Amino acid sequence: AGPCDIYSSGGTPCIAAHSTTRALYSSYSSALYQVQRGSDSTTKDISPLSAGGVANAAAQDTFCANTTCVITIIYDQSGKGNHLTQAPPGGFQGPESDGYDNLAGAIGAPVTLNGQKAYGVFVSPGTGYRNNVATGTATGDAAEGMYAVLDGTHYNDGCCFDYGNAETSSTDTGNGHMEAIYFGDNTAWGYGTGSGPWFMADLENGLFSGSSSTLNSADPSISYRFFTTALKGGANKWALRGGNAASGSLSTYYSGVRPTASGYNPMSKEGAIILGIGGDNSVSAQGTFYEGVMTSGYPSDATENSVQANIVAAKYATTSLTSGTALTVGNSISLRATTTGYTTRYIAHTGSTVNTQVVTSSSTTALKQQASWTVRTGLGNSACFSFESVDTPGSYIRHSGFALLVNASDGTKLFNEDATFCPQSGLSGTGSSLRSWSYPTRWFRHYENVLYIASNGGVHTFDSATSFNADVSWVISTGFA
Ligand code: AHR
Ligand code: AHR
């Protein structure tokens, strides 16, 4: 059985079921999600390998070979047609030119389920999905349940990495107009014990970890790599339950009455569905979503416990975040451009600006050092890499405002993540391409001899699709110094 078969048996059927990693009904064999590639903008549906099975990641890899791909649709498996697509502008605008949010890169969150490769939805700040015309979702004070499997190590304090029920207008229409899973370390509203991140409920104008609007000490900080979140709400009752998605059972972090603050009892749920954003299209949060559902009715703890057992049996596990030429931590490397007309240029820096410069064996020692980088374990994710300046130890290549800079590490989580890159086989078929860990649609790219993290055909001048594959492909060799 799949999670939605279990919810059906419990009398609280799924009315939305979203996953890029697997079928959530034992009989489901239709499309899980759709990807669109950068080379020709065509799309492809990705289905399970077999009914009830894991997604056919190999079909995505073949379709996306030597180009970029984004996730355009996360299909609803429930039959209600509650698909998730690119979120429109609302109270806040997304980063795309028309105010829409970004789409997720298709390869930012690789995992295995029972040893079979699949991809999750890696939400960077700016990324969001939504359905404002969902059917069958809870409205008003009606009861609903939901769960989501998330990456418990990918979060920030922005508002708001959510999955669940929100406003149909994409604007903040008041307290109690949302009921969604939230994950992160935002402390503007409620919070739990320790320094976070926490699983809370986004009920609009408030993230709640219990009945108080601030601290609820029974809500724990989370460090599970794979994290099951289960939220449910009905007439003057709601509950937050969570646990390690890779083993064991759920714990109840809160179960009780609605918050005492005004506007949350009764609730005024509107029934849209969001992923990765707040109810008003707040877009500054990050996180990773693997699977989740919403139900009609208030699921029993026993039903949720069976769903957790099903998730554990799916055996989520990590897999490599890199491909192509292997890098060795501690080595000094050079990175040479491969675009025709630029092939004598190497990634170097002038002060904090990262650029390309012509470097040869007869260049000055200073220039050779400017064009040499020490490979370090990724500061923000140890499965990827960081690049320390040879002539300025303690300074690393990091992105800021999507430009690459050489900055001294300030030790913050943001710096570490900005300075983490995951090498892949070169998109052009030559060399290596360096993908930003925190923005998987973005790659080291030279544009007018200056370095950016660029997306293929995005809104910035440096995102130009012209010559993209060549501009993001680099030959990595031993450093000059
Ligand atoms: O409740 C927290 C956030 O507040 C909501 O997600 C958003 O709509 C509002 O800004
Ligand atoms: O480069 C994109 C973002 O810009 C970085 O994550 C952040 O440091 C800056 O706001």
Side-chain angles (χ1 to χ4, degrees):
C4 287
D5 303 306
I6 296 166
Y7 280 111
S8 285
S9 303
T12 52
C14 294
I15 47 75
H18 301 115
S19 177
T20 55
T21 64
R22 64 171 182 145
L24 300 176
Y25 294 83
S26 61
S27 62
Y28 191 80
S29 59
S30 306
L32 299 172
Y33 63 106
Q34 182 193 71
V35 292
Q36 180 177 42
R37 65 184 176 194
S39 53
D40 60 3
S41 297
T42 58
T43 59
K44 181 174 179 61
D45 283 347
I46 305 299
S47 297
L49 289 162
S50 59
V54 175
N56 186 356
Q60 174 184 310
D61 290 341
T62 299
F63 180 73
C64 301
N66 295 114
T67 187
T68 53
C69 269
V70 290
I71 297 171
T72 35
I73 303 174
I74 304 165
Y75 291 107
D76 172 20
Q77 303 175 29
S78 79
K80 298 277 186 201
N82 291 330
H83 313 310
L84 293 171
T85 58
Q86 187 171 22
F92 293 91
Q93 302 255 312
E96 296 291 346
S97 52
D98 49 7
Y100 273 68
D101 295 354
N102 293 139
L103 293 164
I107 56 170
V111 288
T112 59
L113 283 74
N114 272 310
Q116 292 176 308
K117 191 175 183 185
Y119 294 103
V121 184
F122 190 104
V123 171
S124 307
T127 302
Y129 294 83
R130 194 168 194 122
N131 185 326
N132 280 340
V133 292
T135 58
T137 44
T139 56
D141 206 32
E144 67 179 346
M146 61 192 78
Y147 85 87
V149 177
L150 309 174
D151 179 341
T153 67
H154 183 207
Y155 62 91
N156 69 7
D157 62 2
C159 177
C160 290
F161 181 74
D162 288 352
Y163 172 73
N165 194 320
E167 292 95 338
T168 55
S169 60
S170 299
T171 59
D172 180 348
T173 53
N175 296 359
H177 285 245
M178 298 179 62
E179 184 165 66
I181 288 164
Y182 164 83
F183 182 67
D185 64 350
N186 183 295
T187 55
W189 297 284
Y191 47 94
T193 193
S195 57
W198 305 282
F199 166 35
M200 297 189 275
D202 190 342
L203 304 180
E204 189 52 276
N205 301 314
L207 304 175
F208 290 89
S209 52
S211 60
S212 153
S213 298
T214 58
L215 171 67
N216 290 284
S217 46
D219 195 34
S221 290
I222 298 302
S223 56
Y224 303 125
R225 172 61 178 79
F226 296 101
F227 180 38
T228 305
T229 55
L231 167 67
K232 51 190 169 183
N236 199 21
K237 63 175 178 179
W238 69 288
L240 286 171
R241 306 180 70 225
N244 184 345
S247 74
S249 54
L250 298 179
S251 299
T252 299
Y253 303 157
Y254 179 77
S255 181
V257 296
R258 288 292 186 182
T260 47
S262 74
Y264 301 103
N265 183 34
M267 293 286 285
S268 309
K269 292 177 251 192
E270 297 192 19
I273 305 175
I274 53 172
L275 172 60
I277 48 179
D280 56 5
N281 198 44
S282 297
V283 279
S284 54
Q286 64 183 24
T288 296
F289 173 91
Y290 299 104
E291 60 176 73
V293 311
M294 297 168 66
T295 71
S296 173
Y298 197 84
S300 68
D301 285 3
T303 295
E304 290 174 341
N305 295 345
S306 298
V307 169
Q308 163 68 0
N310 178 279
I311 294 165
V312 170
K315 288 195 165 54
Y316 274 94
T318 57
T319 189
S320 176
L321 282 169
T322 64
S323 65
T325 309
L327 296 184
T328 303
V329 170
N331 280 5
S332 170
I333 60 167
S334 64
L335 302 101
R336 184 174 61 77
T338 62
T339 310
T340 303
Y342 297 84
T343 58
T344 58
R345 304 185 76 95
Y346 291 81
I347 297 179
H349 74 104
T350 304
S352 62
T353 301
V354 183
N355 51 26
T356 62
Q357 298 188 52
V358 176
V359 187
T360 69
S361 56
S362 48
S363 294
T364 63
T365 299
L367 179 56
K368 286 179 176 175
Q369 290 185 346
Q370 285 161 15
S372 298
W373 308 94
T374 307
V375 177
R376 299 296 182 200
T377 300
L379 297 172
N381 188 307
S382 61
C384 295
F385 297 95
S386 293
F387 301 99
E388 186 177 6
S389 169
V390 163
D391 68 3
T392 318
S395 288
Y396 297 81
I397 298 179
R398 62 84 63 94
H399 62 85
S400 180
F402 308 121
L404 285 178
L405 301 176
V406 172
N407 281 169
S409 169
D410 63 9
T412 60
K413 180 169 171 289
L414 180 68
F415 182 94
N416 290 342
E417 293 179 353
D418 287 351
T420 299
F421 303 95
C422 307
Q424 311 291 310
S425 300
L427 280 195
S428 70
T430 297
S432 297
S433 294
L434 292 120
R435 197 181 71 210
S436 162
W437 174 80
S438 49
Y439 289 83
T441 59
R442 297 187 170 277
W443 308 74
F444 269 37
R445 192 251 177 99
H446 64 100
Y447 190 86
E448 293 179 347
N449 302 328
V450 176
L451 265 289
Y452 300 90
I453 52 165
S455 66
N456 192 1
V459 297
H460 308 94
T461 310
F462 57 77
D463 293 327
S464 168
T466 303
S467 160
F468 187 84
N469 276 9
D471 289 352
V472 302
S473 297
W474 305 88
V475 171
I476 298 179
S477 306
T478 303
F480 292 101

